[in-house]
Amino acid sequence: MTGNTVFHPVQLIGGGPGAWDLITVRGMRALQDADVILADHLGPTAQLDKLCDIASKELIDVSKLPYKRQTSQDKINEMLISHARAGRRVARLKGGDPFVFGRGFEEVHALAVAGLSCEVIPGVTSAVAVPGAVGIPVTQRGMVHAMTVVSGHLPPGHERSLVDWEALARSEATLTVIMGVRNAGAIASTLIDASLPADTPVAAIQEGTLSGQRVVRTDLAHLGAIVEEEKIQPPAVFVIGDVAGLRAEA
């Protein structure tokens, strides 16, 4: 507290994979209590009116659209700090889970440096929920004992990439790739060159849990071509591994 100003903890909310009713109850209540909501384009942003009275909130779009308009992380941090220091109840709404490729910790750290507290409200990550929504288990008893969530926003071999694609090809784990649409062909080629069989099943799921959800099944050898032919666009999740070939039909 400084003077008569009460600093409320910023609520860092994981909004879930897309559908508005897949946010947690705690996340919904935090939105209802907020004075200002800083929201990404992912998660339940388009249907916030189902979660809270948006007419009583200040809604700020801080989207990071793939290869399009982006709000810088520094700018988002500045806005969080400014609104919190003004004594407002701030909700920061992200898609999925804020700590699964969501830069959530960067925001927590920026607030801490500014002397402000933050409550993290975990969300349902799209890396697991989106495959589940189309009937694909990322793990299956007797088939796979590991799964790895991978960011595909940088192509294999990029100087800033931290992914060891060769090791992943040998891991025998289910690979769930997010943010990989643009680099789908390069990812598939690299995995095949590193010994993952070309006929490994793959499912590409676009707009998972939303009304536009669709799933395209293929194999690793044809992933790049299928992404282009089917005009798959972000947000999309790729599931690579034997589980992607499972179907519930008898």
Side-chain angles (χ1 to χ4, degrees), residues 73-177:
Q73 189 61 57
D74 287 343
K75 180 62 176 177
I76 294 171
N77 294 347
E78 290 172 5
M79 286 191 283
L80 290 172
I81 292 167
S82 175
H83 286 290
R85 281 181 170 166
R88 308 183 79 186
R89 296 184 184 274
V90 180
R92 172 67 173 108
L93 179 62
K94 291 177 171 288
D97 182 276
F99 282 2
V100 180
F101 298 117
R103 296 190 177 184
F105 188 74
E106 295 179 38
E107 296 175 10
V108 173
H109 177 69
L111 290 164
V113 170
L116 298 165
S117 61
C118 179
E119 179 188 0
V120 179
I121 301 177
V124 179
T125 176
S126 60
V128 174
V130 166
V134 299
I136 298 174
V138 292
T139 63
Q140 173 64 14
R141 183 166 63 94
M143 180 176 288
V144 62
H145 287 176
M147 63 88 64
T148 301
V149 182
V150 190
S151 171
H153 76 289
L154 294 175
H158 192 283
E159 62 182 9
R160 291 192 290 111
S161 176
L162 302 176
V163 180
D164 186 341
W165 292 100
E166 289 74 17
L168 292 178
R170 299 189 300 269
S171 69
E172 299 187 359
T174 299
L175 305 181
T176 303
V177 182

Side-chain angles (χ1 to χ4, degrees), residues 5 35 43 47 52 58 64-65 86 91 102 105 129 163 203 232 241:
T5 302
D35 300 312
Q47 295 181 298
C52 63
E58 180 179 354
K64 293 186 178 71
L65 298 172
F105 188 74
V163 180
I232 293 172

Side-chain angles (χ1 to χ4, degrees), residues 10-244:
V10 172
Q11 306 293 303
L12 178 61
I13 306 166
W20 70 271
D21 52 354
L22 289 177
I23 195 173
T24 64
V25 173
R26 185 178 297 184
M28 178 181 67
R29 288 174 176 165
L31 292 174
Q32 293 169 349
D33 291 341
D35 300 312
V36 57
I37 301 172
L38 284 76
D40 287 345
H41 68 291
L42 297 175
T45 302
Q47 295 181 298
L48 274 178
D49 59 321
K50 296 181 181 295
L51 295 167
C52 63
D53 177 14
I54 58 175
S56 67
K57 321 288 182 187
E58 180 179 354
L59 180 59
I60 303 173
D61 180 358
V62 291
S63 297
K64 293 186 178 71
L65 298 172
Y67 320 117
K68 299 178 183 178
R69 180 185 67 81
Q70 299 205 1
T71 306
S72 74
Q73 189 61 57
D74 287 343
K75 180 62 176 177
I76 294 171
N77 294 347
E78 290 172 5
M79 286 191 283
L80 290 172
I81 292 167
S82 175
H83 286 290
R85 281 181 170 166
R88 308 183 79 186
R89 296 184 184 274
V90 180
R92 172 67 173 108
L93 179 62
K94 291 177 171 288
D97 182 276
F99 282 2
V100 180
F101 298 117
R103 296 190 177 184
F105 188 74
E106 295 179 38
E107 296 175 10
V108 173
H109 177 69
L111 290 164
V113 170
L116 298 165
S117 61
C118 179
E119 179 188 0
V120 179
I121 301 177
V124 179
T125 176
S126 60
V128 174
V130 166
V134 299
I136 298 174
V138 292
T139 63
Q140 173 64 14
R141 183 166 63 94
M143 180 176 288
V144 62
H145 287 176
M147 63 88 64
T148 301
V149 182
V150 190
S151 171
H153 76 289
L154 294 175
H158 192 283
E159 62 182 9
R160 291 192 290 111
S161 176
L162 302 176
V163 180
D164 186 341
W165 292 100
E166 289 74 17
L168 292 178
R170 299 189 300 269
S171 69
E172 299 187 359
T174 299
L175 305 181
T176 303
V177 182
I178 62 176
M179 299 182 288
V181 171
R182 172 173 284 190
N183 299 315
I187 289 170
S189 295
T190 299
L191 289 171
I192 291 171
D193 290 345
S195 77
L196 193 61
D199 61 356
T200 298
V202 178
I205 310 152
Q206 179 177 321
E207 296 186 19
T209 77
L210 298 172
S211 60
Q213 172 181 290
R214 65 176 178 136
V215 56
V216 178
R217 296 182 188 253
T218 183
D219 58 28
L220 198 58
H222 296 92
L223 176 59
I226 285 293
V227 166
E228 292 188 8
E229 291 170 11
E230 295 291 334
K231 295 181 170 57
I232 293 172
Q233 299 293 322
V237 174
F238 302 146
V239 182
I240 303 172
D242 289 343
V243 295

